[in-house]
Amino acid sequence: MRRVVIIGGGAIGSAIAYFLSCDPEQEPFDITVVERDFSYRQASSALSASSIRQQFSTAINIEMSRYGIHFMRALDQALRVGDEVPDIGLVEPGYLYLASPAGVDVLRENHAMQKAHAVDVALLTPTELKARFPWISTEGVALASLGLSGEGWYDGYSLLQAFRRKAVSQGARYVQAHATGLRRDGRRLTGVQLGNGETLDADVVVNAAGAWAATVAGWAGIELPVRGRRRSVFSFSCPDALPGCPLVIDTSGIWLRPEGRQFICGFAPPAAQDLDDQPLDVEYEAFDSFIWPALAERVPAFEAIRMTGAWAGYYEMNVFDHNAILGLHPACDNLYFANGFSGHGLQQCPAAGRGVAELIRFGGYRSLDLGALSFARILQNRPLLEKNVI
Ligand SMILES: Cc1cc2nc3c(=O)[nH]c(=O)nc-3n(C[C@H](O)[C@H](O)[C@H](O)COP(=O)(O)OP(=O)(O)OC[C@H]3O[C@@H](n4cnc5c(N)ncnc54)[C@H](O)[C@@H]3O)c2cc1C
Protein backbone atom coordinates (compact mmCIF):
# COMPACT_ATOMS: atom_id res chain seq x y z
CA MET A 1 0.00 0.00 0.00
CA ARG A 2 1.47 3.40 -0.95
CA ARG A 3 2.18 5.61 2.03
CA VAL A 4 1.12 9.22 1.49
CA VAL A 5 2.26 11.91 3.91
CA ILE A 6 0.49 15.26 3.58
CA ILE A 7 2.24 18.20 5.23
CA GLY A 8 -0.46 20.62 6.40
CA GLY A 9 -3.94 19.66 7.57
CA GLY A 10 -5.82 22.81 6.54
CA ALA A 11 -8.67 22.79 4.02
CA ILE A 12 -6.37 21.85 1.14
CA GLY A 13 -4.51 19.04 2.90
CA SER A 14 -7.75 17.72 4.37
CA ALA A 15 -9.58 17.81 1.03
CA ILE A 16 -6.72 15.84 -0.54
CA ALA A 17 -6.85 13.33 2.34
CA TYR A 18 -10.61 13.01 1.84
CA PHE A 19 -10.50 12.42 -1.92
CA LEU A 20 -7.55 10.03 -1.63
CA SER A 21 -9.39 7.95 0.96
CA CYS A 22 -12.69 7.90 -0.94
CA ASP A 23 -12.16 4.98 -3.20
CA PRO A 24 -10.27 2.15 -1.47
CA GLU A 25 -11.40 -0.38 -4.11
CA GLN A 26 -9.33 1.46 -6.75
CA GLU A 27 -6.21 1.64 -4.61
CA PRO A 28 -6.12 1.97 -0.85
CA PHE A 29 -3.57 4.42 0.54
CA ASP A 30 -1.96 4.68 3.93
CA ILE A 31 -2.57 8.40 4.56
CA THR A 32 -0.95 10.49 7.27
CA VAL A 33 -1.64 14.20 7.59
CA VAL A 34 1.02 16.07 9.56
CA GLU A 35 -0.46 19.21 11.12
CA ARG A 36 1.55 21.14 13.67
CA ASP A 37 -1.41 22.89 15.28
CA PHE A 38 -4.73 21.16 15.72
CA SER A 39 -6.26 24.44 16.92
CA TYR A 40 -5.49 26.00 13.48
CA ARG A 41 -4.72 29.32 15.14
CA GLN A 42 -2.75 30.70 12.18
CA ALA A 43 -4.18 28.56 9.41
CA SER A 44 -5.68 30.54 6.54
CA SER A 45 -8.59 28.12 6.38
CA ALA A 46 -9.67 29.26 9.85
CA LEU A 47 -9.04 32.98 9.24
CA SER A 48 -10.61 33.26 5.84
CA ALA A 49 -13.53 35.34 4.59
CA SER A 50 -14.80 31.97 3.29
CA SER A 51 -16.60 33.17 0.21
CA ILE A 52 -17.10 31.63 -3.20
CA ARG A 53 -17.57 33.33 -6.53
CA GLN A 54 -17.75 32.44 -10.19
CA GLN A 55 -16.56 35.85 -11.37
CA PHE A 56 -12.97 35.10 -12.32
CA SER A 57 -11.04 36.16 -15.39
CA THR A 58 -9.54 32.77 -16.20
CA ALA A 59 -11.39 29.65 -17.35
CA ILE A 60 -9.59 27.36 -14.94
CA ASN A 61 -10.63 29.38 -11.88
CA ILE A 62 -14.23 29.50 -13.11
CA GLU A 63 -14.26 25.72 -13.58
CA MET A 64 -12.74 25.10 -10.15
CA SER A 65 -15.28 27.32 -8.41
CA ARG A 66 -18.11 25.77 -10.38
CA TYR A 67 -17.14 22.39 -8.99
CA GLY A 68 -16.65 24.05 -5.58
CA ILE A 69 -20.22 25.32 -5.38
CA HIS A 70 -21.68 22.00 -6.56
CA PHE A 71 -19.64 20.18 -3.97
CA MET A 72 -20.60 22.57 -1.16
CA ARG A 73 -24.31 22.38 -1.97
CA ALA A 74 -24.24 18.60 -1.58
CA LEU A 75 -21.61 18.44 1.14
CA ASP A 76 -24.04 17.39 3.87
CA GLN A 77 -24.30 14.05 2.07
CA ALA A 78 -20.76 13.70 0.72
CA LEU A 79 -19.09 14.49 4.05
CA ARG A 80 -21.60 13.10 6.52
CA VAL A 81 -20.13 10.65 9.00
CA GLY A 82 -22.89 8.38 10.27
CA ASP A 83 -25.47 10.59 11.92
CA GLU A 84 -23.14 13.58 11.96
CA VAL A 85 -24.26 15.82 9.12
CA PRO A 86 -21.92 18.76 8.49
CA ASP A 87 -23.42 22.19 8.01
CA ILE A 88 -21.17 24.89 6.61
CA GLY A 89 -23.95 27.49 6.47
CA LEU A 90 -23.65 28.11 2.74
CA VAL A 91 -25.67 31.09 1.50
CA GLU A 92 -25.66 32.43 -2.05
CA PRO A 93 -26.43 36.16 -2.23
CA GLY A 94 -23.84 36.76 -4.99
CA TYR A 95 -20.82 38.97 -5.52
CA LEU A 96 -21.22 42.53 -6.75
CA TYR A 97 -18.23 44.09 -8.52
CA LEU A 98 -18.35 47.85 -8.88
CA ALA A 99 -16.29 49.46 -11.65
CA SER A 100 -15.22 53.08 -11.90
CA PRO A 101 -15.04 54.59 -15.43
CA ALA A 102 -11.41 53.41 -15.60
CA GLY A 103 -12.42 49.85 -14.72
CA VAL A 104 -15.27 49.44 -17.20
CA ASP A 105 -13.26 47.84 -20.00
CA VAL A 106 -11.84 45.16 -17.73
CA LEU A 107 -15.27 44.47 -16.23
CA ARG A 108 -16.72 44.05 -19.72
CA GLU A 109 -13.83 41.81 -20.80
CA ASN A 110 -14.30 39.63 -17.72
CA HIS A 111 -18.03 39.57 -18.31
CA ALA A 112 -17.60 38.31 -21.89
CA MET A 113 -15.21 35.64 -20.67
CA GLN A 114 -17.60 34.60 -17.87
CA LYS A 115 -20.59 34.43 -20.21
CA ALA A 116 -18.56 32.27 -22.61
CA HIS A 117 -18.15 29.87 -19.67
CA ALA A 118 -21.85 29.91 -18.76
CA VAL A 119 -21.41 31.95 -15.57
CA ASP A 120 -24.75 33.28 -14.30
CA VAL A 121 -23.81 36.96 -14.16
CA ALA A 122 -25.39 40.26 -15.19
CA LEU A 123 -24.07 43.74 -15.88
CA LEU A 124 -25.97 46.56 -14.17
CA THR A 125 -25.97 50.24 -15.02
CA PRO A 126 -25.85 52.64 -12.06
CA THR A 127 -29.62 53.13 -12.38
CA GLU A 128 -30.28 49.39 -12.33
CA LEU A 129 -27.89 49.03 -9.43
CA LYS A 130 -29.72 51.65 -7.39
CA ALA A 131 -33.08 50.06 -8.19
CA ARG A 132 -31.86 46.67 -7.00
CA PHE A 133 -29.91 47.86 -3.93
CA PRO A 134 -31.42 51.20 -2.80
CA TRP A 135 -28.99 51.37 0.15
CA ILE A 136 -25.95 51.76 -2.13
CA SER A 137 -24.49 55.02 -3.41
CA THR A 138 -23.66 54.84 -7.11
CA GLU A 139 -21.26 57.79 -6.89
CA GLY A 140 -18.22 57.02 -9.07
CA VAL A 141 -19.70 53.73 -10.32
CA ALA A 142 -19.87 53.41 -14.11
CA LEU A 143 -20.91 49.75 -14.30
CA ALA A 144 -21.49 46.80 -11.98
CA SER A 145 -21.41 43.05 -12.32
CA LEU A 146 -23.67 40.88 -10.18
CA GLY A 147 -23.45 37.12 -9.80
CA LEU A 148 -26.97 35.70 -9.98
CA SER A 149 -26.22 32.23 -8.65
CA GLY A 150 -23.33 30.11 -7.42
CA GLU A 151 -21.75 32.86 -5.31
CA GLY A 152 -21.89 33.52 -1.59
CA TRP A 153 -20.23 32.45 1.64
CA TYR A 154 -20.01 29.74 4.28
CA ASP A 155 -18.04 28.82 7.38
CA GLY A 156 -14.48 27.96 6.34
CA TYR A 157 -13.48 26.34 9.61
CA SER A 158 -16.50 24.04 9.42
CA LEU A 159 -15.55 23.14 5.85
CA LEU A 160 -12.04 22.22 6.93
CA GLN A 161 -13.36 20.16 9.87
CA ALA A 162 -15.92 18.41 7.68
CA PHE A 163 -13.19 17.27 5.27
CA ARG A 164 -10.98 16.27 8.16
CA ARG A 165 -13.63 14.24 10.00
CA LYS A 166 -14.68 12.44 6.85
CA ALA A 167 -11.07 11.70 5.87
CA VAL A 168 -10.43 10.27 9.36
CA SER A 169 -13.61 8.17 9.13
CA GLN A 170 -12.21 6.77 5.86
CA GLY A 171 -8.91 5.80 7.49
CA ALA A 172 -6.66 8.88 7.23
CA ARG A 173 -4.51 9.54 10.29
CA TYR A 174 -3.84 13.07 11.61
CA VAL A 175 -0.63 13.57 13.58
CA GLN A 176 0.01 16.75 15.51
CA ALA A 177 3.65 17.41 14.72
CA HIS A 178 5.92 19.90 13.03
CA ALA A 179 7.42 18.66 9.78
CA THR A 180 11.04 19.83 9.73
CA GLY A 181 12.63 18.17 6.70
CA LEU A 182 12.46 15.59 3.95
CA ARG A 183 14.48 12.40 3.55
CA ARG A 184 15.59 11.92 -0.02
CA ASP A 185 17.08 9.22 -2.19
CA GLY A 186 18.04 10.62 -5.59
CA ARG A 187 14.95 11.94 -7.36
CA ARG A 188 12.57 10.50 -4.77
CA LEU A 189 11.59 11.42 -1.26
CA THR A 190 11.49 8.54 1.19
CA GLY A 191 10.26 10.21 4.34
CA VAL A 192 9.14 13.29 6.25
CA GLN A 193 11.17 14.29 9.28
CA LEU A 194 9.35 15.59 12.33
CA GLY A 195 10.39 17.97 15.09
CA ASN A 196 10.21 15.16 17.66
CA GLY A 197 13.03 13.31 15.89
CA GLU A 198 10.80 10.74 14.18
CA THR A 199 10.70 10.20 10.44
CA LEU A 200 7.51 9.09 8.71
CA ASP A 201 8.29 6.75 5.81
CA ALA A 202 6.62 7.96 2.62
CA ASP A 203 6.14 6.87 -0.97
CA VAL A 204 4.33 10.10 -1.79
CA VAL A 205 4.64 13.50 -0.06
CA VAL A 206 2.17 16.36 -0.51
CA ASN A 207 3.04 19.96 0.25
CA ALA A 208 -0.19 21.50 1.60
CA ALA A 209 1.55 23.83 4.02
CA GLY A 210 -0.35 26.99 3.04
CA ALA A 211 1.58 30.20 3.63
CA TRP A 212 4.55 28.14 4.83
CA ALA A 213 4.78 26.02 1.69
CA ALA A 214 7.99 27.63 0.36
CA THR A 215 9.89 26.32 3.39
CA VAL A 216 8.73 22.76 2.65
CA ALA A 217 9.66 23.16 -1.03
CA GLY A 218 13.06 24.48 0.02
CA TRP A 219 13.81 21.20 1.82
CA ALA A 220 13.61 19.53 -1.60
CA GLY A 221 15.76 22.25 -3.18
CA ILE A 222 12.79 23.73 -5.04
CA GLU A 223 12.03 27.45 -5.17
CA LEU A 224 8.28 27.90 -4.72
CA PRO A 225 7.11 31.49 -5.34
CA VAL A 226 4.59 31.48 -2.49
CA ARG A 227 4.75 34.00 0.33
CA GLY A 228 2.54 34.79 3.30
CA ARG A 229 0.79 38.12 2.71
CA ARG A 230 -1.14 39.48 5.67
CA ARG A 231 -4.78 40.38 5.21
CA SER A 232 -6.83 42.06 7.95
CA VAL A 233 -10.55 41.51 8.30
CA PHE A 234 -12.83 43.78 10.38
CA SER A 235 -16.29 42.99 11.66
CA PHE A 236 -18.79 45.72 12.39
CA SER A 237 -22.41 46.29 13.30
CA CYS A 238 -24.76 48.70 11.58
CA PRO A 239 -28.14 49.88 12.90
CA ASP A 240 -29.70 49.57 9.43
CA ALA A 241 -30.30 46.33 7.57
CA LEU A 242 -29.18 46.15 3.92
CA PRO A 243 -31.73 43.91 2.19
CA GLY A 244 -30.21 41.38 -0.22
CA CYS A 245 -26.67 42.58 0.44
CA PRO A 246 -24.19 40.53 -1.65
CA LEU A 247 -20.41 40.51 -1.22
CA VAL A 248 -19.55 43.95 -2.58
CA ILE A 249 -16.18 44.78 -4.13
CA ASP A 250 -16.01 48.52 -4.12
CA THR A 251 -14.20 50.69 -6.68
CA SER A 252 -11.71 51.43 -3.87
CA GLY A 253 -10.79 47.72 -3.72
CA ILE A 254 -12.38 47.32 -0.30
CA TRP A 255 -14.76 44.36 0.01
CA LEU A 256 -17.64 43.89 2.44
CA ARG A 257 -20.32 41.34 3.10
CA PRO A 258 -22.91 40.45 5.73
CA GLU A 259 -21.84 38.01 8.44
CA GLY A 260 -24.90 36.93 10.38
CA ARG A 261 -26.45 40.16 11.64
CA GLN A 262 -23.19 42.03 11.30
CA PHE A 263 -20.79 42.71 8.44
CA ILE A 264 -17.18 41.99 7.67
CA CYS A 265 -14.84 43.86 5.37
CA GLY A 266 -11.24 43.86 4.24
CA PHE A 267 -8.73 45.35 1.84
CA ALA A 268 -5.45 44.63 0.10
CA PRO A 269 -2.64 46.93 1.21
CA PRO A 270 -0.86 48.93 -1.54
CA ALA A 271 1.85 46.81 -3.21
CA ALA A 272 4.72 48.72 -1.56
CA GLN A 273 3.36 47.89 1.90
CA ASP A 274 2.34 44.34 1.08
CA LEU A 275 5.47 42.71 2.49
CA ASP A 276 6.16 39.01 2.92
CA ASP A 277 5.46 37.15 6.15
CA GLN A 278 4.51 40.10 8.34
CA PRO A 279 3.35 39.17 11.85
CA LEU A 280 -0.40 38.57 12.03
CA ASP A 281 -1.13 41.90 13.75
CA VAL A 282 -4.36 43.56 12.63
CA GLU A 283 -3.86 46.79 10.68
CA TYR A 284 -6.29 48.77 12.83
CA GLU A 285 -4.97 52.05 11.55
CA ALA A 286 -6.23 51.23 8.05
CA PHE A 287 -9.78 50.89 9.29
CA ASP A 288 -10.02 54.45 10.59
CA SER A 289 -7.87 56.12 7.98
CA PHE A 290 -9.49 54.81 4.80
CA ILE A 291 -11.67 51.73 5.15
CA TRP A 292 -14.44 53.31 7.19
CA PRO A 293 -14.55 56.51 5.10
CA ALA A 294 -14.73 54.45 1.90
CA LEU A 295 -17.44 52.19 3.36
CA ALA A 296 -19.53 55.18 4.38
CA GLU A 297 -19.15 56.73 0.95
CA ARG A 298 -20.43 53.59 -0.72
CA VAL A 299 -23.17 52.79 1.80
CA PRO A 300 -24.37 55.92 3.63
CA ALA A 301 -25.88 53.75 6.43
CA PHE A 302 -22.29 52.78 7.29
CA GLU A 303 -21.70 56.27 8.73
CA ALA A 304 -23.11 54.82 11.95
CA ILE A 305 -21.18 51.56 12.20
CA ARG A 306 -19.29 50.23 15.21
CA MET A 307 -16.28 47.94 14.81
CA THR A 308 -16.91 44.78 16.80
CA GLY A 309 -13.82 42.73 16.10
CA ALA A 310 -10.90 42.05 13.77
CA TRP A 311 -8.36 39.40 12.83
CA ALA A 312 -5.52 38.89 10.39
CA GLY A 313 -4.52 35.85 8.37
CA TYR A 314 -2.18 35.03 5.51
CA TYR A 315 -3.03 34.83 1.84
CA GLU A 316 -0.63 32.16 0.57
CA MET A 317 0.21 34.42 -2.32
CA ASN A 318 1.73 33.02 -5.48
CA VAL A 319 3.85 36.07 -6.26
CA PHE A 320 4.47 34.80 -9.81
CA ASP A 321 0.87 34.94 -11.07
CA HIS A 322 -1.64 34.81 -8.19
CA ASN A 323 -2.93 31.34 -9.00
CA ALA A 324 -2.61 27.89 -7.49
CA ILE A 325 0.40 25.70 -8.22
CA LEU A 326 -0.61 22.05 -8.45
CA GLY A 327 1.24 18.82 -9.09
CA LEU A 328 4.84 17.69 -9.44
CA HIS A 329 8.01 19.71 -10.01
CA PRO A 330 10.44 18.21 -12.54
CA ALA A 331 13.18 18.06 -9.87
CA CYS A 332 11.41 15.47 -7.73
CA ASP A 333 9.30 12.44 -8.70
CA ASN A 334 7.00 12.13 -5.69
CA LEU A 335 6.53 15.56 -4.08
CA TYR A 336 3.12 16.97 -5.02
CA PHE A 337 2.34 20.65 -4.57
CA ALA A 338 -1.03 22.20 -3.73
CA ASN A 339 -0.09 25.76 -2.93
CA GLY A 340 -0.29 29.44 -3.80
CA PHE A 341 -4.07 29.85 -3.96
CA SER A 342 -3.69 33.60 -3.42
CA GLY A 343 -6.96 34.36 -1.66
CA HIS A 344 -9.22 31.88 -3.47
CA GLY A 345 -8.11 28.59 -1.97
CA LEU A 346 -11.05 27.76 0.22
CA GLN A 347 -13.53 27.73 -2.64
CA GLN A 348 -11.03 25.77 -4.70
CA CYS A 349 -10.29 23.11 -2.09
CA PRO A 350 -12.85 20.62 -3.45
CA ALA A 351 -11.46 20.88 -7.01
CA ALA A 352 -7.81 20.98 -5.90
CA GLY A 353 -8.31 18.11 -3.47
CA ARG A 354 -9.96 15.94 -6.10
CA GLY A 355 -7.38 16.90 -8.75
CA VAL A 356 -4.29 16.21 -6.62
CA ALA A 357 -5.82 12.91 -5.47
CA GLU A 358 -6.28 11.96 -9.15
CA LEU A 359 -2.69 12.88 -9.95
CA ILE A 360 -1.46 10.65 -7.13
CA ARG A 361 -3.83 7.80 -7.91
CA PHE A 362 -3.75 7.76 -11.71
CA GLY A 363 -0.73 9.87 -12.66
CA GLY A 364 -3.04 12.36 -14.46
CA TYR A 365 -6.27 14.32 -14.13
CA ARG A 366 -9.48 12.37 -14.78
CA SER A 367 -12.29 14.84 -14.08
CA LEU A 368 -11.25 18.48 -14.47
CA ASP A 369 -7.93 19.06 -16.21
CA LEU A 370 -5.93 21.32 -13.88
CA GLY A 371 -2.82 21.16 -16.05
CA ALA A 372 -2.93 24.95 -16.56
CA LEU A 373 -1.93 25.26 -12.90
CA SER A 374 1.20 23.10 -13.15
CA PHE A 375 4.75 24.21 -12.46
CA ALA A 376 5.44 24.29 -16.20
CA ARG A 377 4.08 27.81 -16.59
CA ILE A 378 6.45 29.09 -13.93
CA LEU A 379 9.48 27.33 -15.35
CA GLN A 380 8.61 28.64 -18.83
CA ASN A 381 7.81 32.11 -17.50
CA ARG A 382 4.26 32.08 -18.88
CA PRO A 383 2.13 33.63 -16.12
CA LEU A 384 -1.56 32.70 -15.95
CA LEU A 385 -2.78 36.04 -14.75
CA GLU A 386 -5.99 36.22 -12.76
CA LYS A 387 -7.23 39.81 -12.92
CA ASN A 388 -9.88 39.32 -10.28
CA VAL A 389 -7.74 38.90 -7.16
CA ILE A 390 -9.47 40.48 -4.20
C1 LIG B 1 -8.34 37.10 5.36
C2 LIG B 1 -8.49 36.02 4.35
C3 LIG B 1 -9.59 35.99 3.54
C4 LIG B 1 -9.76 34.97 2.62
N1 LIG B 1 -10.91 34.93 1.89
C5 LIG B 1 -11.13 33.88 1.06
C6 LIG B 1 -12.36 33.76 0.40
O1 LIG B 1 -13.26 34.56 0.57
N2 LIG B 1 -12.54 32.70 -0.42
C7 LIG B 1 -11.56 31.76 -0.63
O2 LIG B 1 -11.77 30.84 -1.41
N3 LIG B 1 -10.36 31.86 -0.02
C8 LIG B 1 -10.13 32.89 0.83
N4 LIG B 1 -8.95 33.00 1.48
C9 LIG B 1 -7.88 32.06 1.15
C10 LIG B 1 -8.09 30.71 1.77
O3 LIG B 1 -8.44 30.86 3.12
C11 LIG B 1 -6.82 29.89 1.61
O4 LIG B 1 -6.46 29.87 0.24
C12 LIG B 1 -6.98 28.46 2.07
O5 LIG B 1 -7.52 28.43 3.35
C13 LIG B 1 -5.64 27.76 2.05
O6 LIG B 1 -5.79 26.50 2.67
P1 LIG B 1 -4.49 25.68 3.04
O7 LIG B 1 -4.97 24.40 3.60
O8 LIG B 1 -3.56 25.64 1.87
O9 LIG B 1 -3.73 26.58 4.11
P2 LIG B 1 -3.93 26.62 5.69
O10 LIG B 1 -5.33 26.63 6.08
O11 LIG B 1 -3.05 27.73 6.18
O12 LIG B 1 -3.33 25.24 6.14
C14 LIG B 1 -1.94 24.99 6.08
C15 LIG B 1 -1.61 24.20 7.32
O13 LIG B 1 -0.27 23.75 7.23
C16 LIG B 1 0.25 23.69 8.52
N5 LIG B 1 1.70 23.66 8.40
C17 LIG B 1 2.49 24.56 7.76
N6 LIG B 1 3.76 24.18 7.83
C18 LIG B 1 3.80 23.02 8.52
C19 LIG B 1 4.85 22.15 8.95
N7 LIG B 1 6.12 22.41 8.65
N8 LIG B 1 4.52 21.05 9.68
C20 LIG B 1 3.22 20.78 10.00
N9 LIG B 1 2.19 21.58 9.63
C21 LIG B 1 2.48 22.68 8.89
C22 LIG B 1 -0.28 24.95 9.19
O14 LIG B 1 -0.29 24.81 10.60
C23 LIG B 1 -1.68 25.04 8.59
O15 LIG B 1 -2.66 24.49 9.45
C24 LIG B 1 -8.76 33.99 2.45
C25 LIG B 1 -7.62 34.01 3.26
C26 LIG B 1 -7.50 35.01 4.22
C27 LIG B 1 -6.29 35.00 5.08
Side-chain angles (χ1 to χ4, degrees):
M1 200 189 295
R2 281 197 283 166
R3 295 156 302 183
V4 180
V5 177
I6 299 171
I7 302 175
I12 296 293
S14 297
I16 295 169
Y18 160 71
F19 281 103
L20 261 187
S21 58
C22 266
D23 207 354
E25 283 86 50
Q26 284 266 7
E27 180 191 350
F29 293 97
D30 176 45
I31 303 163
T32 305
V33 180
V34 180
E35 169 53 56
R36 65 182 172 204
D37 177 15
F38 279 7
S39 74
Y40 295 103
R41 218 167 28 91
Q42 295 206 322
S44 306
S45 306
L47 298 167
S48 179
S50 308
S51 306
I52 179 164
R53 61 188 159 118
Q54 308 298 319
Q55 294 183 65
F56 284 97
S57 69
T58 53
I60 190 71
N61 284 331
I62 293 173
E63 295 302 337
M64 288 181 85
S65 276
R66 196 193 316 274
Y67 177 64
I69 194 76
H70 286 306
F71 186 90
M72 287 183 201
R73 284 173 182 159
L75 163 148
D76 54 340
Q77 290 313 311
L79 300 187
R80 76 181 293 163
V81 178
D83 290 343
E84 247 182 82
V85 180
D87 178 6
I88 60 167
L90 175 68
V91 292
E92 300 186 37
Y95 268 56
L96 176 67
Y97 279 82
L98 305 180
S100 66
V104 165
D105 288 349
V106 172
L107 197 77
R108 283 195 190 284
E109 253 174 57
N110 291 346
H111 180 76
M113 158 77 192
Q114 289 153 9
K115 286 305 256 188
H117 287 84
V119 175
D120 194 10
V121 68
L123 292 178
L124 304 179
T125 63
T127 312
E128 291 165 332
L129 181 62
K130 189 79 187 168
R132 190 155 188 148
F133 304 113
W135 39 263
I136 214 163
S137 158
T138 56
E139 193 64 39
V141 176
L143 196 63
S145 171
L146 177 66
L148 302 173
S149 66
E151 297 190 325
W153 48 90
Y154 48 89
D155 185 76
Y157 183 71
S158 300
L159 177 63
L160 144 60
Q161 288 294 349
F163 271 123
R164 178 176 163 152
R165 266 195 294 274
K166 186 67 180 183
V168 168
S169 78
Q170 296 180 159
R173 195 163 57 102
Y174 276 67
V175 172
Q176 180 157 299
H178 202 136
T180 52
L182 298 169
R183 193 178 60 202
R184 192 170 181 152
D185 182 9
R187 293 183 51 83
R188 294 188 71 78
L189 303 178
T190 61
V192 173
Q193 293 151 348
L194 306 182
N196 60 12
E198 268 179 54
T199 298
L200 296 172
D201 293 331
D203 302 300
V204 171
V205 178
V206 179
N207 181 354
W212 302 272
T215 303
V216 174
W219 299 332
I222 293 169
E223 156 58 20
L224 181 71
V226 173
R227 304 289 180 265
R229 293 282 172 85
R230 179 177 61 197
R231 292 292 178 270
S232 296
V233 179
F234 305 89
S235 61
F236 59 91
S237 61
C238 172
D240 293 8
L242 308 186
C245 184
L247 190 152
V248 181
I249 296 116
D250 184 34
T251 50
S252 62
I254 292 166
W255 61 266
L256 69 98
R257 70 160 173 83
E259 172 72 15
R261 290 157 79 165
Q262 300 200 0
F263 294 86
I264 60 173
C265 68
F267 74 113
Q273 289 161 32
D274 197 12
L275 307 178
D276 297 343
D277 307 314
Q278 293 291 296
L280 287 181
D281 302 330
V282 173
E283 295 144 285
Y284 283 105
E285 203 271 324
F287 188 82
D288 289 332
S289 62
F290 70 92
I291 296 178
W292 188 359
L295 289 174
E297 243 173 66
R298 184 55 61 216
V299 180
F302 285 167
E303 293 275 1
I305 63 177
R306 192 167 58 83
M307 196 211 291
T308 53
W311 70 87
Y314 291 120
Y315 271 17
E316 43 346 327
M317 189 69 95
N318 168 357
V319 293
F320 177 72
D321 67 4
H322 302 171
N323 277 308
I325 302 167
L326 299 179
L328 292 169
H329 183 282
C332 182
D333 291 344
N334 60 344
L335 173 59
Y336 290 82
F337 291 82
N339 308 115
F341 293 87
S342 308
H344 40 279
L346 215 46
Q347 63 201 283
Q348 293 192 334
C349 72
R354 183 181 64 170
V356 172
E358 287 172 355
L359 278 185
I360 294 170
R361 191 184 289 282
F362 305 115
Y365 294 114
R366 289 289 170 95
S367 45
L368 182 59
D369 183 355
L370 303 177
L373 298 173
S374 76
F375 254 108
R377 72 187 198 276
I378 300 173
L379 301 173
Q380 295 160 9
N381 198 21
R382 285 186 293 106
L384 174 77
L385 279 176
E386 174 54 60
K387 290 182 214 146
N388 278 358
V389 172
I390 301 170

